[in-house]
Amino acid sequence: MTLYVGIDLSGPSNTKETSLAFFKGDESKLRFQQIVNGATDEDIYELFQKQTDSLVIGIDAPLSYQPGGGDRKADRALRKQIIAKGMKSGSIMTPTMTRMVYLTLRGITLSRGLSSITSASIVEVHPGAAVGLRSPDLTPVLSYKSDEKPRHQLKAFLENDGVHGIADDVLQSSHSFDACLAAYAAWKWKNGKSEFLYPAEPPFHPFPFSC
């Protein structure tokens, strides 16, 4: 079975809000293994250096920026798609805007570091869009960041889609739950079931962006 890891990344000075969710799965199902909260870059590298399984990593952070600034083509394309679905455009933020730039810096650094120490498949993901583009009910998608109850509703949605075993205490934090959704998005991407997919465009954008 393949190991799928979702990373809800925070900026480099606020690592207490970084969560990693580990799952194992095949094409039809995904089972929760563990959650790691408050991870530093050193913690993350140590966790992955110990892994021997086939590995897929979904990272919720920009893993590149547009030369000259502004949106990447992928940002514009995903924003258009989620607006059409009824989601909020503000959840797709430009990688170089002031409130995003440190997260972008960490995402770029971490993804290149992981590429150097593992043979993992790495994909940039957007957790909210991963469920929002699939769920028939947007109500919990629009409120799960600030309220635990919608996370339980989304957990039920995930279970119906083959994702099992997410512990209830994981739902107490939006960061740990977003890590689970990042793993879910990576699982869908790896198995050719993306609802949104923008391919890698090396050298400026070396990783695909998928939900």
Side-chain angles (χ1 to χ4, degrees):
M1 295 185 106
T2 300
L3 181 66
Y4 292 89
V5 184
I7 305 178
D8 180 49
L9 206 63
S10 62
S13 64
N14 191 30
T15 56
K16 68 179 182 298
E17 293 186 353
T18 294
S19 295
L20 284 76
F22 290 75
F23 291 77
K24 284 192 175 181
D26 55 24
E27 287 188 14
S28 62
K29 60 183 180 295
L30 199 63
R31 178 157 292 278
F32 177 78
Q33 303 293 306
Q34 67 166 327
I35 196 81
V36 176
N37 293 316
T40 65
D41 289 5
E42 292 84 357
D43 295 331
I44 294 170
Y45 290 136
E46 184 177 354
L47 284 165
F48 285 113
Q49 284 176 322
K50 296 176 180 178
Q51 300 299 333
T52 58
D53 294 297
S54 174
L55 182 60
V56 180
I57 304 172
I59 303 177
D60 176 21
L63 304 185
S64 66
Y65 66 90
Q66 187 65 24
D71 279 337
R72 301 167 295 176
K73 293 177 184 177
D75 300 317
R76 289 195 296 270
L78 180 55
R79 189 181 294 115
K80 181 178 179 180
Q81 191 163 332
I82 68 166
I83 290 172
K85 177 71 175 183
M87 297 175 66
K88 298 175 181 177
S89 63
S91 67
I92 312 297
M93 290 185 277
T94 302
T96 51
M97 69 184 297
T98 303
R99 63 183 295 187
M100 285 291 289
V101 69
Y102 289 108
L103 177 61
T104 300
L105 174 65
R106 192 179 183 203
I108 289 172
T109 302
L110 184 66
S111 58
R112 275 58 165 187
L114 289 172
S115 293
S116 73
I117 64 169
T118 75
S119 57
S121 298
I122 297 175
V123 59
E124 181 178 336
V125 298
H126 187 289
V131 285
L133 294 176
R134 293 178 172 87
S135 174
D137 180 9
L138 275 185
T139 304
V141 177
L142 296 175
S143 57
Y144 83 88
K145 292 275 192 181
S146 58
D147 187 3
E148 183 177 335
K149 184 178 178 181
R151 295 173 208 145
H152 287 270
Q153 295 173 282
L154 292 176
K155 178 186 174 183
F157 167 80
L158 294 174
E159 289 172 344
N160 287 332
D161 203 20
V163 183
H164 303 289
I166 297 176
D168 282 343
D169 61 353
V170 171
L171 306 182
Q172 295 173 10
S173 162
S174 64
H175 300 295
S176 56
F177 188 62
D178 266 338
C180 293
L181 295 181
Y184 172 71
W187 175 58
K188 289 293 189 180
W189 166 73
K190 187 63 176 179
N191 290 289
K193 297 178 181 178
S194 300
E195 286 293 321
F196 168 86
L197 176 59
Y198 207 93
E201 293 182 336
F204 294 111
H205 311 293
F207 302 101
F209 189 2
S210 179
C211 302

